Amino acid sequence: MSFPLIIAEKPDQGSTLCSPFPHTKRNGYIQIQPNSIFPNGAYCTWAIGHLTQLVQPETYHAEWKQWKLDMLPMIPNQFKYEVAKSKYKQFQIVKQLLKDEHVTEIIHAGDAGREGELIVRNIIMLTGVNKPLKRLWISSLTKEAIKQGFQQLLTDQDTRALYYEAYARTCADWLVGMNASRVYSILLKQKGINDVFSVGRVQTPTLALIVKREIEIEQFQSQPFWEVFATFHVDGKSYIGKWEKDGESRLQDPELAKKIAAFCEQKTAVVNDVKTERKEFQPPLLFNLSALQATANQLFKFPPKKTLDILQSLYQKGIVSYPRSDSNYVTKGEAEIFPAILSKIHHFSEYEAYFPLPKTNIVQNKRFVNEKKVTDHYAIIPTEQVVNPNSLPSDERKIYDLVIRRLIAAHYQQAIFDYTTITTLVDSRAIFVSKGKQLIQEGWRKVLHQGKDGKDELLPNVEKNQHGTVKKVEVKEGKTQPPKRYTEGQLIILMKTAGKYLENEELEKVLKKVEGLGTEATRAGIITLLKDRKYIQIKKNQVYATDKAKVLIRAIGNKILASPEMTAKWEQRLSEIGVGTAQAATFMEQVKKLSRKIVEDAIQSSPNWEFSGLKTEEIIRTNSKFTLGKKVGKCAVCNGDIIDKGKFYGCSQYKQTKCSFTLPKMILGKKISQTNVKKLLLGEETNLIKGFKKNGRTFNAKLKLIDQKLQFLFERRMETKSLPNQD
């Protein structure tokens, strides 16, 4: 008797895939009992995310373990994978099942995307098993979708090119990341900046865009300006206008503004022109991942990674479609089941007011239904397995509600606004402009959260050539504002458009077609990576670049590593590999050449690096695998070991004896080197440390532990002074 082995990407995914069938849970796998789809039954096992990983450099060559310039670039002849130690047990279970003589066919059931393709195929490759392979490719985890997917399996060849793309992407990232990170970390250490600088094919161009905005803000010099406002009374009606000349309303000279105001006081006014333009706004497209992440960040301040994790949970529950989709469209097949989905949604109290829908069917609406624009997956939509949002945890309810509302809005008419401009002429010389907005048809805006931008700004009904008077004139002072910081949601769109983010534009209008930085699946992870590596900080949902980020981007300069356009082209080439129109081997040769050039460029440019204005002394390796937990000496209190605890040095006996002796890594803006810490613990004076800063004053001093407390030693006066409280 023979049967297939199904390999899922995660344990919960494996459980969901087995849920439509009678089954029994085993250790590390599930046994599916015979049924109409699997007459002899089946086994289902899983990875735990990435069971395998590319090996470390020293696995290829022992000397590559050393971080030295003459070891670079590191370019393996052939890339190798290994099993992650923490996941070895599950790998053995999968391997044993693959080798089972009763298993005659493998069903690849990883996520229907590039990463899922790589994860499962790598496991099979490492086991050395060569059995027929088929591919489960579904965009939702409802029971019906699962059954239909198993009945319509793809062949091995249908998705093999996606594996080549994912494999090439991973190897390219290893080549660029390993070589660039090492060369810049080594060269910056020679400049006295002792930290690990992670550099990557996607993360670094993204970081360059953030640093560029940070510098624009820092260098911005606010300038005052003055504007003149007049209140008009025309035919018993009142409205306000702003003075303009040649389309410009801001004046740099306050005296001129006052003169204009004085000239207009109590003068006659005439309505010179009235123009009303009607604009129609179509319902927004259905969600892809980037658009949903941006919307959730705007409304709820959710980091993109959080939105993706919530979506993944909703997907596992079978109530939304595949979360990592880059498409805003659905096929005719999906659109045909919308009425059934919406009829279930209709019964929930929070949506009752939106029914009956103005449009009961959108199958023929190409704004939403377009097979040519559906890539690997269709847009993110609620599945027919509808649940009451109020039955979900709070954060899941918010995201599920967004997805539901976007689908409802697609069945509404366009929103219509009238935009009115009144031009008023004062004493035949001064021109004032008034602008208003009126909502004529609410349309889809009834359904979606719109904030302030839907409010009317009404102007009275006046006609051309009507006369009136100026009742009030005032001058208002303002200041030019620096560029706004990106939010995390805007950062997602910035990456998607390769840096060509246009503020205040609808997402689908930003660019018709652009290959961005990273993919829908990886962008949130890149932002999280930049946070974890201390390149960016998020404060009140705004993105700030740290001095560590500025140091790296200043060192890289205008080299290819910081180019969003170049990385976008790489993404395009990888996509071509994924559809079989480009060769992975050709791409990898180009990446190898690039890796050599990155190393050469860094070495050649490093003598000219300078970091004036940046707090380089505060950039220290505070949480590195190379120093964390390292012993540096004996405790001055209990004779235990003093170890590197990240941001400070502390006693190893803290948990046992509560010994609280610590030494800081930074004092008054100066880094205390490990060499000096060792001297302190031996009871010796440190070397002379230059550049301590306090109350705007800079001074030099040595340090010494006296009675278990750090003291300053000032050589000129031979005086001793206790350190200020470091808290």
Side-chain angles (χ1 to χ4, degrees):
M1 184 174 65
S2 63
F3 45 79
L5 172 65
I6 303 162
I7 305 178
E9 191 170 321
K10 308 176 190 71
D12 52 357
Q13 187 184 44
S15 297
T16 304
L17 291 174
C18 295
S19 62
F21 314 108
H23 60 271
T24 304
K25 291 187 177 180
R26 306 292 187 191
N27 181 26
Y29 70 101
I30 295 172
Q31 184 173 357
I32 297 175
Q33 306 304 326
N35 58 78
S36 59
I37 295 176
F38 301 110
N40 295 330
Y43 287 155
C44 179
T45 188
W46 44 80
I48 310 171
H50 286 272
L51 281 184
T52 65
Q53 61 193 16
L54 284 169
V55 301
Q56 291 298 308
E58 55 268 27
T59 306
Y60 299 108
H61 300 286
E63 61 268 26
W64 281 2
K65 188 172 184 178
Q66 304 174 59
W67 285 48
K68 292 183 177 180
L69 288 178
D70 56 9
M71 295 290 120
L72 303 177
M74 302 176 294
I75 300 178
N77 291 326
Q78 184 175 358
F79 284 93
K80 299 177 183 177
Y81 272 87
E82 64 184 0
V83 179
K85 290 182 180 178
S86 61
K87 300 173 182 179
Y88 188 76
K89 180 180 177 182
Q90 183 61 22
F91 175 79
Q92 289 301 316
I93 291 172
V94 178
K95 182 177 180 180
Q96 184 177 351
L97 291 170
L98 280 167
K99 289 179 178 270
D100 189 313
E101 62 181 11
H102 297 104
V103 171
T104 56
E105 181 180 80
I106 305 165
I107 297 177
H108 181 327
D111 273 357
R114 299 167 185 84
E115 281 303 299
E117 199 66 35
L118 180 72
I119 287 170
V120 174
R121 285 186 185 259
N122 272 348
I123 294 169
I124 298 169
M125 179 187 69
L126 272 185
T127 63
V129 172
N130 185 19
K131 294 180 180 181
L133 179 72
K134 290 185 179 177
R135 182 65 158 104
L136 176 70
W137 192 276
I138 53 179
S139 288
S140 75
L141 289 177
T142 65
K143 290 185 178 182
E144 282 306 310
I146 292 169
K147 288 180 180 178
Q148 187 176 357
F150 279 123
Q151 290 171 324
Q152 299 174 352
L153 294 169
L154 303 179
T155 70
D156 172 24
Q157 291 300 318
D158 288 334
T159 60
R160 180 174 286 273
L162 270 184
Y163 168 67
Y164 293 147
E165 176 191 347
Y167 188 88
R169 182 188 303 276
T170 303
C171 295
D173 287 345
W174 191 99
L175 274 175
V176 173
M178 284 290 184
N179 287 296
S181 298
R182 289 199 178 193
V183 72
Y184 280 98
S185 295
I186 293 167
L187 292 171
L188 286 167
K189 185 176 182 180
Q190 293 175 1
K191 299 285 184 180
I193 305 173
N194 186 23
D195 200 353
V196 175
F197 284 82
S198 172
V199 183
R201 185 180 61 85
V202 178
Q203 63 167 299
T204 302
T206 303
L207 186 62
L209 292 169
I210 299 169
V211 170
K212 180 175 181 285
R213 176 56 60 94
E214 189 79 31
I215 292 170
E216 288 171 352
I217 294 170
E218 289 174 355
Q219 294 180 347
F220 182 83
Q221 294 184 346
S222 183
Q223 300 293 331
F225 63 85
W226 290 263
E227 295 178 311
V228 182
F229 293 86
T231 302
F232 303 106
H233 282 193
V234 176
D235 192 26
K237 301 163 186 173
S238 179
Y239 61 96
I240 296 172
K242 184 194 296 185
W243 175 89
E244 279 191 14
K245 184 177 182 180
D246 299 327
E248 180 57 60
S249 64
R250 294 179 176 182
L251 295 160
Q252 275 66 53
D253 182 356
E255 295 305 317
L256 178 57
K258 290 176 184 177
K259 287 180 181 178
I260 292 171
F263 168 78
C264 294
E265 286 180 357
Q266 304 302 317
K267 291 290 197 314
T268 59
V270 62
V271 178
N272 193 55
D273 195 14
V274 180
K275 288 183 179 178
T276 298
E277 182 182 5
R278 179 158 290 187
K279 291 185 179 181
E280 298 182 354
F281 297 90
Q282 297 297 326
L285 299 178
L286 299 171
F287 279 126
N288 61 16
L289 177 58
S290 292
L292 184 51
Q293 287 171 318
T295 302
N297 181 258
Q298 180 184 21
L299 293 175
F300 314 127
K301 305 296 184 286
F302 284 180
K305 178 66 164 59
K306 179 176 180 177
T307 297
L308 177 55
D309 290 344
I310 293 170
L311 265 177
Q312 182 69 30
S313 176
L314 295 174
Y315 173 64
Q316 292 296 152
K317 292 177 178 179
I319 60 177
V320 301
S321 58
Y322 184 70
R324 294 171 177 80
S325 175
D326 62 354
S327 177
N328 299 102
Y329 304 89
V330 296
T331 66
K332 186 178 179 181
E334 279 77 52
E336 286 173 344
I337 64 170
F338 284 169
I341 294 171
L342 291 164
S343 69
K344 297 175 183 178
I345 292 171
H346 180 192
H347 296 295
F348 303 133
S349 59
E350 57 263 57
Y351 307 116
E352 283 179 346
Y354 308 130
F355 291 84
L357 298 171
K359 301 176 183 178
T360 57
N361 195 307
I362 60 170
V363 171
Q364 302 302 322
N365 189 335
K366 289 190 176 181
R367 179 167 177 79
F368 305 103
V369 185
N370 191 330
E371 304 223 7
K372 292 180 181 178
K373 293 187 177 181
V374 174
T375 51
D376 293 340
H377 300 279
Y378 48 80
I380 299 170
I381 56 173
T383 68
E384 65 272 22
Q385 201 165 293
V386 175
V387 301
N388 189 335
N390 290 326
S391 68
L392 299 171
S394 175
D395 289 346
E396 289 189 4
R397 178 181 58 77
K398 289 176 180 176
I399 298 300
Y400 190 47
D401 176 70
L402 287 181
V403 176
I404 287 175
R405 286 178 181 273
R406 190 60 75 102
L407 179 61
I408 294 173
H411 291 74
Y412 265 70
Q413 311 100 323
Q414 64 267 47
I416 302 174
F417 283 90
D418 276 353
Y419 292 85
T420 301
T421 302
I422 300 174
T423 305
T424 307
L425 191 59
V426 176
D427 199 32
S428 303
R429 293 176 61 185
I431 295 175
F432 286 78
V433 176
S434 311
K435 293 187 177 182
K437 177 176 70 172
Q438 184 175 9
L439 179 63
I440 304 302
Q441 177 175 288
E442 190 174 22
W444 58 268
R445 300 176 70 88
K446 177 181 179 181
V447 183
L448 301 185
H449 308 280
Q450 292 304 313
K452 297 179 181 179
D453 64 343
K455 291 186 177 180
D456 286 350
E457 299 165 14
L458 296 177
L459 289 173
N461 291 322
V462 296
E463 296 180 4
K464 186 175 180 179
N465 296 325
Q466 276 188 309
H467 285 70
T469 58
V470 178
K471 286 297 182 183
K472 179 183 176 184
V473 187
E474 57 183 333
V475 175
K476 292 185 179 179
E477 181 179 354
K479 288 186 177 180
T480 55
Q481 298 298 313
K484 292 183 179 179
R485 295 185 181 280
Y486 298 118
T487 64
E488 286 193 78
Q490 289 171 337
L491 202 51
I492 285 286
I493 304 305
L494 185 76
M495 295 176 71
K496 186 178 178 68
T497 60
K500 298 179 180 68
Y501 178 76
L502 304 177
E503 218 157 341
N504 300 323
E505 290 283 340
E506 286 186 60
L507 300 185
E508 65 266 28
K509 291 182 181 177
V510 175
L511 286 175
K512 290 294 183 183
K513 180 175 176 62
V514 65
E515 301 302 327
L517 300 173
T519 65
E520 297 290 320
T522 61
R523 290 180 189 122
I526 291 294
I527 295 174
T528 301
L529 196 67
L530 294 176
K531 292 184 204 174
D532 293 344
R533 290 174 176 173
K534 311 302 180 188
Y535 285 134
I536 63 172
Q537 294 176 335
I538 310 299
K539 302 175 185 177
K540 296 182 178 179
N541 199 37
Q542 293 186 315
V543 181
Y544 291 75
T546 65
D547 275 12
K548 180 178 178 180
K550 295 172 195 172
V551 162
L552 177 61
I553 298 305
R554 192 181 291 187
I556 292 173
N558 60 358
K559 299 295 187 295
I560 196 171
L561 261 177
S563 167
E565 291 80 7
M566 180 55 66
T567 305
K569 289 178 182 177
W570 294 351
E571 293 294 346
Q572 171 66 25
R573 183 55 53 86
L574 285 164
S575 297
E576 291 170 357
I577 294 170
V579 296
T581 58
Q583 295 296 316
T586 304
F587 172 75
M588 287 308 301
E589 285 304 313
Q590 293 171 343
V591 176
K592 289 175 183 178
K593 290 178 182 177
L594 175 67
S595 300
R596 295 186 184 96
K597 181 169 175 53
I598 286 171
V599 172
E600 292 169 4
D601 285 349
I603 293 172
Q604 288 175 6
S605 63
S606 62
N608 300 318
W609 292 350
E610 63 87 24
F611 305 107
S612 59
L614 300 179
K615 298 176 181 177
T616 55
E617 68 276 3
E618 295 182 11
I619 302 171
I620 55 175
R621 190 179 290 179
T622 58
N623 192 19
S624 165
K625 65 180 180 180
F626 300 100
T627 62
L628 201 62
K630 185 177 180 179
K631 297 176 185 179
V632 293
K634 290 294 182 180
C635 178
V637 175
C638 71
N639 207 37
D641 292 321
I642 294 296
I643 60 175
D644 186 335
K645 292 198 171 185
K647 293 187 177 181
F648 64 93
Y649 298 101
C651 184
S652 62
Q653 298 300 306
Y654 173 74
K655 288 186 178 179
Q656 289 77 20
T657 66
K658 300 300 179 184
C659 178
S660 58
F661 178 77
T662 62
L663 287 172
K665 287 188 173 181
M666 294 287 298
I667 299 173
L668 297 182
K670 289 300 295 181
K671 178 173 64 178
I672 310 304
S673 69
Q674 200 172 100
T675 299
N676 278 329
V677 170
K678 289 178 179 178
K679 288 186 175 185
L680 289 170
L681 294 173
L682 290 171
E684 301 173 5
E685 299 176 0
T686 66
N687 300 324
L688 183 66
I689 301 172
K690 298 181 179 180
F692 290 112
K693 296 176 182 177
K694 184 181 179 185
N695 299 329
R697 184 172 64 91
T698 301
F699 62 92
N700 307 328
K702 295 182 179 181
L703 296 173
K704 188 174 182 179
L705 271 175
I706 300 176
D707 296 330
Q708 301 170 5
K709 291 185 178 180
L710 276 175
Q711 306 279 339
F712 284 124
L713 301 180
F714 299 94
E715 287 192 324
R716 288 184 180 177
R717 303 179 186 175
M718 296 300 293
E719 64 179 277
T720 301
K721 188 175 181 180
S722 297
L723 265 68
N725 192 314
Q726 292 296 305
D727 295 337

